[in-house]
Structure formats: C-alpha cells, structure tokens
C-alpha cells in the first residue's frame, strides 16, 4: 500500500470481494483484496489521512473503525443545499452546473426518445457531463481500477464543494462544519448498526400494561382493541356508537356528555380530568392507544433484535440539520423509557445540554450582555433581573423570541429583551424578515435552511400574510436550532472519539441529549469525559469563547432513572 500521512486527503471507494480504490491529488491506484475494510482498519491510526467518500454506503462498511477525520460528499451536499436526499447523480449534476431534471436513466429508449451519444461506456462520465447511471448503481465496483476512478471522482467532488464553502459568509466555520457533519454521519452509521440496548422483558411488561396481551391472531387483536375502547365507552350513559379514533366523533361525544369544547387537545382535557371519569378514561385510552399502535407488539417484533432497538439514523433531517432516526428512537414516550437499559456489566451515561438554545443564541449573536448571562448555571436568572420579571416569565419570553411567540404572559417582557439584548434580538428579527420574504437563511456554521412557497396564496392576501408569518417564525428558530444541532454534533463526535479508550459507545442522540453505553468499571471516567467534552466542543465550535455551555451528566442503569 502507498504510504499515507495525516496531512494527506485521500479519496476511497470500497467493494468487498473486489478491492479498494484510492485517490490522492492526481494519483489513482487500487488494491485487489477480498477484505478492503481490513486494509483501511490497518491504516486507521492517529497518522491516518482524511478519508473522502461518496456517502452512507461507505460509512456502513467502515462503521466501528477508529476513523475521526473524514469527508462525506453526500452529507456536505445536504449541508450546502439544505436538502434531505442526496443521490450521487444529483450531487454530481449540481457540482457540474447541469440540470438535475436531465439526469440519464437506465434502460431502453422509448419510441419518442431521441438517441443520446453514450460515448465510451468504460468511462464514468457521459459526453453530456452526467455520471453514467450504471456506474452509480454498481458498475464502479466491478474492478479495482474502476474503484480507483470512483474514488478520484469523490475527491474531485470534494474539491468542488470546497469552492462552494469558500463563498459562504464565514468559510472557516463552514469548512469546520462540513468536517464535523461528515464525522456525525459516520456516527449515525454506527448507531444504525449497533442499536440501542433494550430490556425485552421490561418492554413486554409495559406493552402488556398498555396494549394488552400479545395477540395470536388478527381476530384476537381486534378483540383486544375493542376491550380497550370499552373502558371509555362504558362511562357513557347512552349507547350511541363512537369511533374514539375520530376527533370529530370524540368531540360530539363530549358535547353530548356536557362538555362543549372547541377541540379535544390533551392540555384542554387535562383541566377537566379530575372532575369527570369519562375524560380521565379517554386520556388514559389515548396513552394506551399510542403504545398499542406505535410502540406495541408490532414495534417490538419489527425493530428489536438481539436485545437492541434498531432504526435508521441520519445526521440531518433536511430542515435545520437536527439528527433524526426511525423506529421510534426519536419519539419514545416517557412511559417506555424504562425499557432502555444497560446490558450486563455495563452502565449508561446520560447527558443533557442545559439551556442550549439561548446559550447558542449568545454565541452566534455575540451579544455581550447575553454572553455574561451564560456564565450562570441558570442563565434565566440574570435575564429575569435585567427585565424585572419572574424567572419563569423571562424563560418563556426568551424561548418565545426564538420561536416567534410574541403573545401571552411573556409578551410584555419582549420589549425588555429587545432593549437589554438588542444584538441577540436583532439577529432573530433579521432571520424572521428573511423568512417572511421567502429567502433562505443560513446558520452560523453555513447550513442552508430552505424556505418555501405556497401556491394557494395566489390572489389571497390574508393567506399570503399568514404563510409569510409562519416562514418568519420558522426562520428565526431555524438559525438557532440549526446552530444548536451543529454544536450538539461536535459534542457527540467528541464523545465518540474520546470514549473509544473506555469502550464507550454512543447509542442515542436525541436533540440535546446523549446516551453512552459503557463498561461498568469505566462509567465514572466516562461521565467525566462526557462532561469535559462539552468544553472541548465549545472550544472548537463556539464563535464566542466566553460563552459557557453546561450539561447535566448522570450514570444510570435505565434511561428512566435520569432526571
């Protein structure tokens, strides 16, 4: 293998059973091997180069290796363009200035299709500049030489992405974010493969308590469903048929029962719960129904294997850039948290960033007075003193300013926020105005967050005003939520890197919360490492070094034990 150093940037393309292709500068070479992952594993040392690859297919192969420095072309494309999907064909077309709608397809021409100059089929690029679809779907992996060519194209794509990053308002931060986002996607590949440890007997107990016994047939499933419904319907004086899964019928049922409500939202019903057994039964039914339909027996059988909950993780939701996951990993209800438990001989380090969004607002705005507030464990306390209001009102006001909620009890404090923290509030207002105008906004790290248009507003002024206001609220929050997501991912990949020597495994990333699975005898060291990683991540990420970031860290056996 050609000697590589830490200063190198090397494109790679792997195909198990075939080999691995390399690209560095203008050099292209390949190694024929049945186990290309083992070859990369040998080179994955502290002196390894920055590896460059096309996307998740390679991350899946390399998951678990001690790779910290990488560049994922698809991840950087999503970051630059604010998209969810990033097929190689589109990535290449965009970089070459080609129309993505003109992508070539595989298969025979239709009767009305004009013939296309295919050129040399041994080359990955067609005469029209597009990549050949057959190469994208697998022809790149037919020979080691083709793998080297494919690795070279990934390296070329990175070079063109660097030019786009250079055009952003803060190129240095954008480059750093592209690198950390790539490492975060590798972490996502690892979490997808490893899964979240689950206590299956506890899961079966909780599901039984809410959804009833495990059904053996579809008929028995219907019977259990009817039994669950009957616990509500039995509270009615009349036998009028009601579909509890139809909000309109539930609203009518409540009206007949003496509750004429504008809607059946849970917070509204909670106010009447203690006074009416029917409403108490309905709210209990709703929780049980959610477990039965979303986190019940079907969920357990489909997604929990070998004691791990397995879902697909992605490093960006395509909106403001938060990590996302399937299989309920991102919306497991609190009643089910006891099922997330450390395996024998292990413990869980749970860490939650404290007041992350206002601290991020201080960092990205550079508002000195808000930065001073972050030095406190509870930053809302000095804000409340500055505004002359109760702490809870100050909290709601700050969050309302970031989410665009300017009515209610905290509305009066908004003027005080604008006076006391004009730079921070000005950043939010500027983002909101861009959103109202339909202009995309960009996070401090350079992520593009797309706005939208609504054809139904044509000729409808009231509708147009409403949509513009919604965009404004979304934009003002997106610039903060997106920056917070960028900070969180820097923290997560720092924990991944620092925890390797302790046998620590990041198993869940939930907005501002981390779960780390670690051998029991290393749990205290891992907790200290996770806490220290907050400061390290802040040093790397924060535009303002004086902003203090904090985390609540605890060692537990079950997720539900964390407060």
């Amino acid at each position: 293998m050609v000697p590589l150093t830490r200063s190198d940037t090397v494109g790679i393309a792997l195909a198990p059973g075939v080999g691995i292709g390399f690209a560095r500068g203008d050099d292209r070479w390949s190694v024929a091997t049945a186990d290309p992952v083992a070859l990369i594993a040998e080179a994955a040392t502290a002196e390894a180069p920055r590896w460059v690859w096309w996307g998740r297919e390679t991350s899946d192969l390399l998951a678990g290796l001690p790779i910290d420095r990488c560049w994922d072309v698809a991840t950087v494309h999503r970051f630059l363009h604010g998209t969810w999907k990033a097929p190689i064909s589109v990535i290449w077309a965009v970089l070459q200035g080609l129309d993505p709608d003109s992508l070539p397809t595989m298969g025979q021409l239709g009767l009305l299709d004009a013939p296309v100059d295919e050129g040399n089929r041994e080359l990955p690029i067609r005469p029209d500049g597009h990549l050949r679809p057959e190469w994208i779907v697998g022809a790149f992996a037919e020979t080691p030489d083709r793998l080297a060519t494919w690795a070279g194209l990934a390296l070329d794509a990175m070079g063109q992405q660097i030019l786009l990053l250079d055009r952003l308002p803060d190129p240095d931060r954008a480059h750093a974010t592209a690198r950390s986002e790539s490492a975060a996607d590798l972490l996502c590949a690892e979490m997808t493969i490893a899964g979240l440890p689950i206590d299956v007997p506890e899961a079966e107990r909780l599901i039984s308590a809410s959804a009833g016994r495990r059904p053996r047939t579809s008929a028995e499933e219907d019977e259990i469903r009817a039994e669950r419904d009957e616990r509500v319907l039995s509270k009615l004086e009349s036998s009028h048929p009601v579909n509890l899964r139809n909000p309109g019928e539930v609203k009518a049922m409540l009206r007949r029962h003496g509750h004429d409500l504008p809607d059946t939202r849970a917070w509204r019903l909670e106010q009447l719960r203690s006074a009416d057994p029917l409403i108490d039964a309905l709210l209990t039914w709703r929780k049980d129904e959610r477990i039965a339909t979303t986190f019940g027996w079907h969920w357990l059988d489909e997604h929990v294997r070998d004691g791990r909950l397995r879902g697909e993780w992605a490093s960006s939701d395509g909106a403001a850039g938060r990590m996302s996951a399937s299989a309920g990993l991102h919306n497991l209800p609190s009643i089910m948290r006891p099922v997330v438990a450390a395996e024998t001989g292990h413990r869980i380090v749970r860490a939650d960033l404290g007041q992350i969004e206002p601290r991020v607002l201080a960092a990205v705005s550079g508002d000195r007075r808000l930065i001073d507030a972050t030095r406190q464990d509870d930053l809302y306390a000095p804000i409340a003193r500055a505004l002359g209001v109760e702490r809870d009102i100050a909290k709601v006001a700050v969050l309302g300013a970031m989410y665009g909620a300017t009515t209610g009890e905290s509305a009066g404090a908004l003027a005080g926020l604008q006076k006391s923290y004009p730079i921070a509030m000005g950043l939010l207002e500027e983002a909101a105005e861009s959103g109202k105008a339909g202009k995309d906004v960009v996070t401090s790290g350079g992520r593009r967050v797309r706005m939208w248009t609504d054809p139904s507003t044509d000729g409808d002024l009231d509708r147009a005003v409403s949509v513009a206001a919604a965009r404004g609220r979304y934009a003002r929050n997106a610039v903060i939520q997106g920056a917070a997501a960028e900070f969180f991912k820097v923290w997560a990949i720092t924990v991944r890197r620092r925890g390797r020597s302790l046998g620590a495994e990041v198993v869940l990333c939930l907005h501002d919360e981390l779960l780390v699975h670690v051998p029991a005898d290393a749990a205290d060291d891992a907790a200290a490492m996770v806490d220290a990683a907050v400061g390290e991540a802040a040093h790397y990420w924060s535009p303002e070094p004086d902003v203090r970031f904090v985390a609540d860290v605890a060692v537990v056996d079950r997720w539900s034990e964390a407060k």
Side-chain angles (χ1 to χ4, degrees):
M1 182 171 170
V2 175
L4 301 172
T5 68
R6 185 175 176 81
S7 62
D8 289 327
T9 298
V10 179
I12 54 174
L14 293 75
V18 179
I20 180 169
F22 296 91
R24 179 182 59 182
D26 295 329
D27 296 331
R28 307 287 183 269
W29 72 97
S30 62
V31 177
T33 174
D35 190 357
V37 175
L39 196 62
I40 295 296
E42 291 178 11
T45 67
E47 294 304 312
R50 183 174 302 282
W51 304 110
V52 180
W53 57 72
W54 277 109
R56 178 55 71 85
E57 186 177 76
T58 302
S59 297
D60 288 343
L61 291 172
L62 301 180
L65 296 186
I67 294 174
D68 300 313
R69 301 169 65 247
C70 60
W71 188 283
D72 185 305
V73 172
T75 294
V76 177
H77 176 87
R78 286 190 289 267
F79 164 70
L80 279 166
H81 301 286
T83 60
W84 167 246
K85 295 183 178 180
I88 291 175
S89 56
V90 172
I91 295 171
W92 184 261
V94 170
L95 289 174
Q96 303 306 313
L98 302 171
D99 183 1
D101 292 334
S102 67
L103 296 176
T105 57
M106 296 181 65
Q108 295 180 338
L109 291 174
L111 292 176
L112 301 180
D113 291 333
V116 177
D117 178 11
E118 293 285 349
N120 184 353
R121 290 181 175 272
E122 290 301 308
L123 299 178
I125 304 174
R126 296 165 23 126
D128 61 5
H130 285 291
L131 291 178
R132 295 186 187 280
E134 59 268 29
W135 271 68
I136 294 172
V137 300
F140 73 90
E142 290 179 356
T143 68
D145 286 346
R146 285 193 171 199
L147 287 169
T149 299
W150 201 240
L153 290 177
L155 191 62
D156 291 345
M158 175 198 184
Q160 294 173 74
Q161 288 179 330
I162 285 174
L163 296 177
L164 295 177
L165 293 168
D166 287 341
R167 299 173 189 169
L168 293 177
D170 190 338
D172 290 341
R173 285 185 61 77
H175 282 279
T177 307
R179 294 190 294 267
S180 60
E181 293 283 321
S182 295
D185 203 67
L186 180 56
L187 170 60
C188 285
E190 292 175 343
M191 290 192 294
T192 297
I193 294 169
L196 179 68
I198 295 293
D199 180 344
V200 175
E202 178 67 4
E204 291 174 338
R205 185 187 72 80
L206 290 175
I207 291 171
S208 295
S210 292
R213 63 192 180 277
R214 182 190 285 271
R216 292 164 295 182
T217 65
S218 58
E220 186 175 8
E221 185 173 7
D222 291 341
E223 178 184 322
I224 295 169
R225 187 171 182 256
E227 291 172 359
R228 188 162 58 250
D229 293 358
E230 184 58 24
R231 290 195 285 270
V232 178
L233 301 178
S234 64
K235 302 293 190 296
L236 297 174
E237 297 177 357
S238 69
S239 58
H240 193 288
V242 179
N243 179 0
L244 296 175
R245 295 159 188 84
N246 184 315
E249 292 192 29
V250 171
K251 184 178 177 182
M253 173 191 76
L254 293 174
R255 185 170 58 250
R256 290 193 299 271
H257 200 72
H259 302 292
D260 192 5
L261 304 173
D263 55 61
T264 62
R265 294 175 181 174
W267 67 268
R268 195 182 303 280
L269 296 181
E270 282 288 353
Q271 300 174 24
L272 304 170
R273 184 171 201 160
S274 60
D276 192 331
L278 171 64
I279 292 182
D280 178 65
L282 177 61
L283 288 170
T284 299
W285 175 89
R286 284 184 174 178
K287 290 183 178 179
D288 291 346
E289 178 74 0
R290 186 187 181 203
I291 299 299
T293 57
T294 308
F295 298 98
W297 299 112
H298 292 297
W299 169 80
L300 187 67
D301 294 341
E302 182 179 356
H303 299 297
V304 177
R305 299 184 302 279
D306 301 322
R308 294 280 180 124
L309 171 58
R310 303 178 190 277
E312 293 289 331
W313 282 90
S315 60
S316 169
D317 59 7
R322 277 186 165 183
M323 297 171 81
S324 63
S326 64
L329 284 159
H330 256 199
N331 56 359
L332 197 69
S334 58
I335 193 175
M336 294 295 289
R337 289 192 173 190
V339 310
V340 180
E343 296 170 347
T344 301
H346 290 73
R347 302 201 74 189
I348 290 173
V349 175
R350 180 263 186 184
D352 184 21
L353 292 172
Q355 302 167 337
I356 181 60
E357 289 190 344
R359 293 177 190 272
V360 164
L361 173 59
V364 300
S365 68
D367 191 307
R368 297 309 308 178
R369 197 169 184 186
L370 189 56
I371 291 172
D372 288 342
T374 69
R375 293 171 184 160
Q376 305 298 315
D377 289 344
D378 178 12
L379 64 70
Y380 294 121
I383 293 175
R385 289 194 295 271
L387 301 183
V389 298
E390 295 294 323
R391 186 260 185 199
D392 288 347
I393 293 178
K395 177 181 177 179
V396 173
V398 172
L399 295 178
M402 290 188 289
Y403 282 88
T406 56
T407 59
E409 187 178 14
S410 66
L414 185 59
L417 283 175
Q418 293 168 338
K419 181 179 179 180
S420 297
Y421 308 100
I423 298 175
M425 295 302 108
L427 182 145
L428 296 174
E429 287 301 322
E430 182 180 355
E433 290 304 313
S434 293
K436 289 178 183 178
K439 298 178 181 178
D440 296 344
V441 294
V442 178
T443 67
S444 68
R447 177 179 295 279
R448 181 180 180 185
V449 182
R450 291 181 176 271
M451 294 299 112
W452 66 92
T453 58
D454 187 342
S456 69
T457 62
D458 292 345
D460 187 338
L461 181 59
D462 290 341
R463 174 67 177 163
V465 170
S466 175
V467 169
R471 282 198 306 260
R473 290 190 296 272
Y474 175 75
R476 75 161 62 224
N477 180 242
V479 294
I480 302 305
Q481 186 186 102
E486 290 159 7
F487 174 74
F488 176 85
K489 281 180 268 192
V490 172
W491 180 42
I493 63 176
T494 302
V495 169
R496 172 183 177 267
R497 181 177 70 253
R498 297 301 185 198
R500 193 172 293 129
S501 62
L502 300 173
E505 174 189 29
V506 178
V507 292
L508 184 75
C509 294
L510 181 61
H511 305 320
D512 55 3
E513 187 173 6
L514 274 181
L515 294 186
V516 184
H517 195 239
V518 62
D521 59 2
D524 290 340
D525 289 340
M529 176 274 296
V530 169
D531 190 44
V534 176
E536 184 176 346
H539 176 76
Y540 179 84
W541 175 85
S542 181
E544 291 290 340
D546 293 335
V547 173
R548 179 170 175 252
F549 291 89
V550 298
D552 177 30
V553 182
V555 178
V556 297
D557 294 311
R558 296 181 184 273
W559 190 11
S560 55
E561 296 171 3
K563 302 299 181 182

